[in-house]
């Protein structure tokens, strides 16, 4: 690692600024830094006009309303209000009013129509009352405003401002406003009026020690994140204090917000200094977040976007740069973004198109490397290296930015680097923790080495803060791990049986190849199970559609996603109950990440490896590696937490006939698709060459059917030979099988003995595939 770059003073300054942010001023004070936060009684509530003839108005009499304020939930759970700076281009009037309000806020004299006029008892100052908004102007339900009228109103408002006078409405309102019970807590009184606030808001006092802004606290309250997770508690203060952080915490433990919250805090702080919209438009991105997969990038954008959207008066612009979507659109987005999230390939593709984007990116305050061990490993190495190189390049090699102020100093020096993952290779972990020694020397010789890339990360501190939240436990607390042993050729049968054992479970099935994903998805669909596919050869839209369908709360609760390891990292899909490894994971880290798609955020979940006898030793070794620390701590006799699960053989034999049929149909369909694709390609090639094409002759000449792969080719040919009628026959037969419940030695006596809840079966509850008592997997 290079020498310390002496930026700690900056970090300290940043910290103190951040802390100051939380010291809010009083609405009535003359403090020029008044931030618009007021209590319920400081607001100028307007009585809601009710029609003269309203039958059954019930509790609506005396109802009051206010516009132009946001609800801000303080750490203690108390509700306060923030006078909103009007951003929407509703009408010209709105902007004038915003401007006026802004001026008053700056002057520290919040005394206009949104904010209540201090009562005679409260204050002796300020006779220059400005009546501000009228009911019609501020109501969201107001019909479109007549522009002539708007101008007229503006004039009269200016006049009013010049000649302040006691507003009649105000006096009237005071008369009609019901007396407030002094024991009534401000926050609660609002909650009683605002149903949404009552439903959505949660007590977030557990976050208080982290010193977050009211905006972020409100957002956390709305998102119902009542307390920080361990990784958030440990990392957020360190990041707010300006440190580089390497965070390691188990899957699903909330790492995204551990870096997302400080980024939004920084945005709010920066925004506080920029009031001018034009200035904002010219600004450059403040954070770049790199993710190894497109799906994860989309999810990060969604997660951080939700934090942003739920924070009052917070409108950070997020650009999502992933492959498969329009480059031009993403280029434009990047140019105006505050936070850039993307996969290294696409980020580099866009940055390297020029247009001064690299220069803009040099100003980032945060570089986040999520799933770092994956991103810093082979595959992504090249692009990450290019991006890092470009961000720190000092020479004028990049394309000049014509929009940019040429005198502006690149701020790359101020950049904080945040590196997160649930797993780190031992070597990488040691280096990141500052334990490995930097050997220095000729970097070009080490271009492919981790050391080289870490140097490129260019941490601001000599040693980043290494925060390992759970060094002992790699897997999530609520995860149960099991193994099902079966003959190598019967994995399909066992997979199907496991799925039947878990009828209303949302399940993610992992395979090691794209072709297996294609085959299994079709096979399960033919068995009438709601299976979806996800792999990297799918078109981006189809990938997103699969994830969306699988994760939608309204989707079938038994949904199955069959995926390659493209889904192993970071995907946060609510309610995945079970992860099945159809193919054993190739590495211990992959096992951790795949299994981490369930049992997230404190939930429970199951991970089951389907394993052929010859794979058992390898799988046991892999599990031992993952749990090494745990077993060492508990002594050598500690059993691995991988439970051996027994599938009832009767179940397997009962489902075998339907599986045989479904496999024939699937194999035939896939073989036909493949042969037709190959045939089309060859026919086109032959046409181009002007020769005759005969597939049999061609196969013969290629020696297909002989030698290596010949058996497979023969099988494919055979499978594709099934006629339409035969196929229809197979489908009909399969349908019949699927219509029958799997009868596990159930006699009528058994039925009447009450071991089956017939009514529940008729209601469609429980496992409707089985008839008879089925021992659960006890798992
Ligand atoms: N403080 C919190 N309280 C409750 N839920 C939270 C909190 N913070 C985050 N979550 C939720 O926890 C889930 C997992 O979060 P996240 O995706 O950030 O995990 P992760 O640690 O990055 O996992 P992985 O290592 O698999 O990428 C998300 O659904 C998120 O909404």
């Amino acid at each position: 690692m290079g020498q310390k770059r002496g930026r700690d003073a900056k970090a300290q300054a940043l910290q103190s600024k951040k802390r100051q942010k939380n010291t809010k001023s009083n609405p009535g004070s003359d403090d020029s830094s008044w931030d618009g936060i007021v209590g319920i009684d400081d607001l100028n509530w307007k009585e809601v006009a009710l029609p003269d003839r309203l039958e059954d108005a019930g509790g609506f009499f005396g109802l009051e309303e206010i516009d132009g304020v946001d609800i801000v939930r303080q750490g203690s759970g108390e509700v306060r209000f923030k006078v909103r700076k009007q951003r929407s281009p509703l009408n010209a009037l709105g902007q004038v009013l915003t401007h006026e309000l802004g001026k008053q806020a700056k002057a520290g004299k919040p005394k206009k129509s949104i904010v209540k006029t201090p009562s005679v008892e409260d204050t002796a100052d300020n006779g220059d009352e400005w009546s501000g908004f009228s009911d019609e102007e501020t109501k969201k339900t107001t019909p479109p405003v007549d522009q002539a009228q708007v101008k007229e109103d503006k004039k009269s408002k200016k006049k009013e401002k010049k000649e302040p006078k006691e507003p009649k409405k105000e006096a009237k309102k005071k008369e009609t406003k019901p007396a407030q019970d002094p024991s009534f807590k401000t926050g609660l009184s609002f909650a009683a009026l605002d149903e949404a606030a009552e439903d959505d808001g949660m007590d977030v006092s557990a976050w208080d020690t982290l010193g977050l802004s009211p905006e972020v606290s409100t957002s956390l309250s709305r998102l119902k994140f009542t307390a920080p997770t361990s990784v958030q508690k440990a990392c957020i203060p360190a990041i707010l204090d300006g440190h580089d952080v390497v965070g390691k915490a188990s899957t699903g433990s909330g790492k995204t917000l551990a870096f997302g919250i400080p980024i939004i805090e920084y945005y709010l702080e920066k925004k506080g200094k920029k009031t001018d919209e034009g200035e904002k438009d010219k600004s450059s991105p403040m954070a770049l977040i790199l993710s190894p997969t497109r799906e994860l990038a989309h999810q990060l954008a969604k997660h951080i976007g939700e934090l942003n959207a739920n924070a009052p008066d917070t409108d950070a612009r997020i650009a999502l740069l992933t492959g498969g979507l329009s480059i031009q659109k993403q280029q434009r987005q990047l140019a105006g973004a505050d936070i850039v999230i993307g996969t290294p390939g696409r980020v580099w593709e866009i940055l390297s198109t020029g247009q001064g984007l690299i220069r803009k990116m040099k100003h980032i305050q945060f570089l986040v490397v999520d799933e770092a061990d994956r991103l810093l490993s082979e595959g992504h190495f090249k692009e990450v290296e290019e991006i890092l190189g470009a961000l720190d390049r000092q020479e004028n090699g990049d394309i000049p930015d014509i929009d940019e102020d040429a005198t502006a100093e690149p701020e790359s020096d101020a950049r904080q680097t945040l590196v997160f993952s649930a797993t780190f290779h031992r070597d990488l972990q040691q280096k990141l923790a500052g334990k490995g020694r930097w050997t220095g020397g000729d970097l070009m010789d080490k271009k492919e080495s981790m050391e080289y890339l870490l140097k490129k990360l260019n941490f601001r501190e000599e040693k980043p803060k290494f925060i390992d939240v759970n060094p002992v436990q790699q897997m999530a607390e609520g995860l149960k791990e099991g193994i099902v042993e079966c003959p190598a050729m019967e994995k399909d049968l066992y997979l199907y049986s496991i799925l039947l054992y878990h009828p209303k479970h949302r399940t993610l099935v992992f395979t090691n190849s794209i072709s297996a994903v294609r085959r299994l998805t079709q096979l399960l669909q033919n068995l009438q199970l709601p299976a979806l596919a996800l792999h990297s050869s799918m078109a981006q839209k189809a990938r997103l559609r699969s994830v969306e369908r699988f994760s939608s709360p309204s989707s079938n609760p038994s949904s199955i996603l069959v995926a390659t390891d493209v889904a192993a990292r970071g995907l946060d899909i609510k309610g995945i109950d079970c992860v099945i490894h159809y193919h054993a994971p190739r590495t211990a880290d992959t096992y951790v990440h795949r299994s981490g798609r369930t049992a997230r955020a404190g939930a429970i979940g199951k991970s089951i490896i389907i394993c052929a006898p010859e794979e058992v030793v390898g799988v046991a070794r892999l599990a031992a590696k993952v749990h090494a620390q745990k077993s060492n701590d508990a002594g050598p006799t500690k059993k691995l937490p991988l439970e051996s699960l027994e599938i009832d053989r009767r179940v397997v034999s009962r489902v075998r006939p339907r599986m045989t049929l479904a496999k024939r149909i699937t194999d035939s369909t896939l073989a036909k698709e493949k042969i037709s694709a190959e045939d089309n390609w060859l026919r086109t090639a032959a046409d181009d060459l002007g020769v005759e094409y005969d597939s049999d002759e061609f196969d013969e000449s290629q020696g297909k059917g002989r030698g290596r792969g010949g058996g497979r080719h023969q099988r494919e040919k055979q499978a594709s030979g099934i006629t339409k009628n035969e196929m229809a026959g197979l489908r009909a037969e399969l349908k019949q099988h699927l219509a029958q419940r799997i009868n596990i030695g159930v006699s009528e006596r058994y039925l009447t003995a009450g071991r089956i809840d017939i009514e529940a079966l008729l209601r469609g509850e429980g496992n409707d595939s089985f008839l008879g008592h089925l021992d659960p997997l006890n798992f």
Side-chain angles (χ1 to χ4, degrees):
M1 183 86 193
Q3 79 277 34
K4 190 173 167 83
R5 288 192 281 142
R7 277 176 254 155
D8 293 1
K10 256 188 186 177
Q12 292 303 325
L14 180 71
Q15 176 195 8
S16 66
K17 272 182 239 150
K18 275 177 177 144
R19 302 287 178 232
Q20 277 167 22
K21 203 173 156 42
N22 301 312
T23 325
K24 297 294 177 187
S25 53
N26 243 319
S29 79
D30 273 342
D31 182 351
S32 61
S33 64
W34 181 69
D35 58 3
I37 304 276
V38 294
I40 193 170
D41 293 330
D42 300 314
L43 291 169
N44 211 359
W45 296 88
K46 289 179 298 250
E47 196 175 328
V48 174
L50 292 175
D52 293 341
R53 284 172 52 82
L54 181 68
E55 326 275 313
D56 194 22
F60 287 100
F61 283 117
L63 189 65
E64 292 180 310
E65 65 175 6
I66 188 102
D67 276 333
V69 293
D70 280 317
I71 309 157
V72 175
R73 200 163 287 268
Q74 310 259 285
S76 58
E78 190 190 347
V79 170
R80 307 275 289 168
F81 303 88
K82 178 163 176 146
V83 176
R84 193 185 305 144
K85 187 183 166 202
Q86 310 251 310
R87 272 173 279 129
S88 72
L90 275 179
N91 52 47
L93 177 63
Q95 294 192 1
V96 172
L97 298 177
T98 303
H99 179 64
E100 289 300 337
L101 202 62
K103 277 203 294 194
Q104 288 140 29
K106 271 190 217 154
K109 290 178 183 176
K111 53 191 179 297
K112 302 313 169 195
S113 80
I114 281 186
V115 181
K116 199 168 148 188
T117 317
S119 69
V120 184
E121 306 88 84
D122 288 343
T123 181
D125 70 350
N126 302 321
D128 59 337
E129 176 78 38
W130 172 67
S131 60
F133 308 109
S134 75
D135 284 357
E136 290 70 33
E137 288 151 2
T138 53
K139 259 187 227 166
K140 279 188 183 140
T141 49
T142 308
V145 184
D146 172 355
Q147 291 305 314
Q149 182 62 43
V150 167
K151 278 188 193 153
E152 207 38 56
D153 285 350
K154 269 200 267 178
K155 271 189 214 156
S156 65
K157 221 155 253 96
K158 276 187 191 155
K159 219 171 157 192
E160 274 175 28
K161 210 181 165 197
K162 276 186 208 149
E163 302 162 31
K165 56 180 179 186
E166 178 68 31
K168 280 182 195 155
K169 260 189 184 174
E170 197 63 34
K172 199 175 153 203
K173 197 179 292 168
K174 274 178 194 160
E175 278 165 30
T176 51
K177 196 174 173 183
Q180 287 239 342
D181 177 353
S183 66
F184 218 42
K185 236 181 137 190
T186 309
L188 293 178
S189 67
F190 180 81
L193 283 173
D194 190 305
E195 219 175 285
E198 189 177 49
D199 288 349
D200 294 350
M202 304 287 280
D203 175 12
V204 287
S205 48
W207 292 86
D208 281 357
T209 50
L210 304 191
L212 305 179
S213 63
E215 288 89 340
V216 169
S217 296
T218 302
S219 181
L220 292 169
S221 162
R222 287 176 180 168
L223 291 168
K224 298 189 171 40
F225 294 155
T226 51
T229 62
S230 326
V231 67
Q232 291 162 356
K233 215 186 266 178
C235 294
I236 291 172
I239 302 173
L240 288 178
D241 283 354
H243 293 289
D244 290 322
V245 168
V246 178
K248 178 172 171 279
S250 53
T251 50
S253 59
K255 292 187 285 294
T256 311
L257 288 190
F259 58 79
I261 288 174
I263 291 176
I264 295 293
E265 286 289 353
Y266 181 81
Y267 166 80
L268 287 166
E269 184 190 315
K270 198 172 140 195
K271 184 182 161 226
K273 292 183 201 151
K274 289 186 182 178
T275 45
D276 179 4
E277 284 292 317
E279 197 180 338
K280 186 178 169 184
D281 283 342
K282 265 199 245 159
S283 65
S284 22
M286 45 174 244
L288 170 62
I289 304 173
L290 294 177
S291 138
T293 66
R294 297 169 183 184
E295 285 74 16
L296 180 54
H298 279 256
Q299 186 184 291
L300 291 171
K302 187 163 173 263
H303 203 5
I304 296 173
E306 278 166 358
L307 178 72
N308 176 49
N310 282 288
D313 221 5
T314 307
D315 54 0
R317 292 158 301 180
I318 299 176
L320 180 60
L321 313 186
T322 62
L325 302 173
S326 152
I327 279 210
Q328 288 74 18
K329 196 170 158 198
Q330 292 182 356
Q331 260 170 350
R332 283 197 302 276
Q333 280 179 353
L334 186 143
D338 297 301
I339 300 170
V340 179
I341 301 174
T343 48
R346 178 49 71 96
V347 169
W348 179 240
E349 200 177 348
I350 291 182
L351 287 184
S352 55
T353 56
Q355 308 192 12
L357 295 175
I358 292 177
R359 282 217 178 162
K360 267 188 179 264
M361 292 304 286
K362 282 186 175 189
H363 296 259
I364 55 168
Q365 171 67 22
F366 297 98
L367 169 68
V368 183
V369 186
D370 197 19
E371 304 294 343
D373 56 336
R374 178 86 187 85
L375 268 180
L376 301 182
S377 67
E378 247 174 89
H380 293 292
F381 185 96
K382 189 90 195 81
E383 289 127 353
V384 176
E385 186 205 14
E386 300 269 27
I387 295 168
L388 297 177
L391 292 184
D392 288 325
R393 198 172 298 133
Q394 292 300 315
E395 73 268 30
N396 297 325
D398 29 74
I399 291 96
D401 185 347
I402 42 163
D403 302 333
E404 207 180 357
D405 175 6
T407 57
E409 277 283 303
E411 290 171 19
S412 61
D413 262 11
R415 187 174 82 214
Q416 256 175 281
T417 304
L418 312 174
V419 176
F420 280 85
S421 188
T423 54
F424 286 104
H425 317 302
R426 206 159 43 158
D427 197 32
L428 174 60
Q429 178 162 338
Q430 290 220 328
K431 296 260 163 59
L432 287 169
K435 288 182 188 145
R437 283 186 45 212
W438 295 100
T439 47
D442 181 3
L443 286 180
M444 293 317 284
D445 284 342
K446 300 181 191 321
K447 243 192 147 155
E448 294 302 311
S449 77
M450 180 58 59
E451 208 159 327
Y452 171 76
L453 200 53
L454 285 180
K455 193 154 183 81
K456 287 226 133 194
L457 277 178
N458 208 2
F459 289 110
R460 63 161 45 172
E461 296 167 304
E462 192 174 350
K463 274 190 191 176
K465 269 198 180 297
F466 185 75
I467 298 174
D468 188 349
V469 179
N470 34 15
V472 176
Q473 166 85 308
Q474 289 214 59
M475 300 299 241
E477 280 285 328
L479 183 77
K480 272 185 156 191
E481 298 162 71
I483 180 168
V484 169
E485 229 184 292
C486 72
M489 300 305 287
E490 298 205 328
K491 280 196 172 188
D492 294 346
L493 203 54
Y494 278 75
L495 169 67
Y496 180 60
S497 304
I498 297 171
L499 292 169
L500 290 184
Y501 267 93
H502 298 107
K504 295 217 163 104
H505 279 40
R506 193 163 280 160
T507 304
L508 181 50
V509 179
F510 280 106
T511 78
N512 286 346
S513 73
I514 292 174
S515 58
V517 170
R518 288 193 180 123
R519 194 183 64 79
L520 280 179
T521 311
Q522 282 213 13
L523 181 71
L524 296 176
Q525 283 171 352
N526 284 331
L527 287 159
Q528 288 180 3
L529 292 180
L532 298 155
L534 181 68
H535 57 75
S536 57
S537 295
M538 285 165 67
Q540 181 58 20
K541 287 213 168 119
R543 280 168 74 160
L544 290 174
R545 208 170 34 241
S546 276
V547 172
E548 238 171 71
R549 278 202 203 151
F550 179 61
S551 54
S552 153
S554 60
S555 73
N556 189 326
S558 318
S559 282
I560 300 159
L561 184 67
V562 187
T564 55
D565 284 328
V566 77
R569 292 242 178 195
L571 269 200
D572 181 57
I573 296 176
K574 295 259 173 318
I576 296 183
D577 306 284
C578 187
V579 167
I580 300 178
H581 310 261
Y582 176 87
H583 288 137
R586 291 194 176 110
T587 66
D589 286 351
T590 309
Y591 178 53
V592 171
H593 287 281
R594 280 183 177 183
S595 307
R597 295 319 98 209
T598 183
R600 296 175 70 76
I604 54 166
K606 301 167 189 174
S607 162
I608 302 173
I609 307 179
I610 303 180
C611 199
E614 55 273 24
E615 292 175 309
V616 172
V617 175
V619 164
R621 205 174 288 144
L622 191 128
K625 206 167 163 192
V626 170
H627 295 283
Q629 196 90 39
K630 212 175 182 187
S631 355
N632 287 347
D633 290 352
T637 52
K638 172 93 171 67
K639 244 180 73 198
L640 283 179
L642 208 57
E643 253 178 72
S644 179
L645 307 174
E646 290 295 331
I647 305 270
D648 190 328
R649 280 176 188 277
R650 291 171 304 168
V651 172
V652 175
S653 62
R654 295 263 149 60
V655 297
R656 199 183 294 275
R658 58 173 76 178
M659 179 54 79
T660 310
L661 286 166
K663 272 174 104 158
R664 279 191 71 191
I665 295 169
T666 309
D667 289 349
S668 169
T669 317
L670 288 172
K672 276 183 187 188
E673 279 171 14
K674 191 174 168 199
I675 287 173
S676 129
E678 270 175 12
D679 229 39
N680 280 346
W681 185 85
L682 287 168
R683 211 171 287 281
T684 316
D687 273 355
D688 289 347
L689 292 170
V691 294
E692 280 284 310
Y693 168 69
D694 178 321
S695 61
D696 289 334
E697 214 175 283
F698 180 79
D699 285 356
E700 199 113 307
S701 70
Q702 294 293 301
K704 283 196 178 173
R706 295 194 300 272
R708 207 156 171 255
R712 183 173 44 84
H713 186 73
Q714 280 302 328
R715 277 197 304 279
E716 275 171 4
K717 222 144 171 136
Q718 212 175 343
S720 71
I722 293 182
T723 63
K724 261 191 183 171
N725 279 347
E726 282 171 325
M727 185 66 110
L730 287 174
R731 285 197 187 278
E733 202 182 333
L734 177 60
K735 202 170 165 194
Q736 268 183 3
H737 276 272
L738 291 171
Q740 289 165 12
R741 290 223 167 86
I742 298 155
N743 183 333
I744 310 165
V746 186
S747 65
E748 281 194 22
R749 203 157 51 84
Y750 187 97
L751 276 170
T752 50
R755 292 191 74 187
I756 302 168
D757 184 350
I758 303 282
E759 287 195 2
L761 276 179
L762 291 175
R763 284 195 304 269
E765 293 167 5
N767 192 336
D768 55 4
S769 297
F770 291 109
L771 190 58
H773 176 76
L774 177 72
D775 277 332
L777 279 178
N778 216 3
F779 180 65

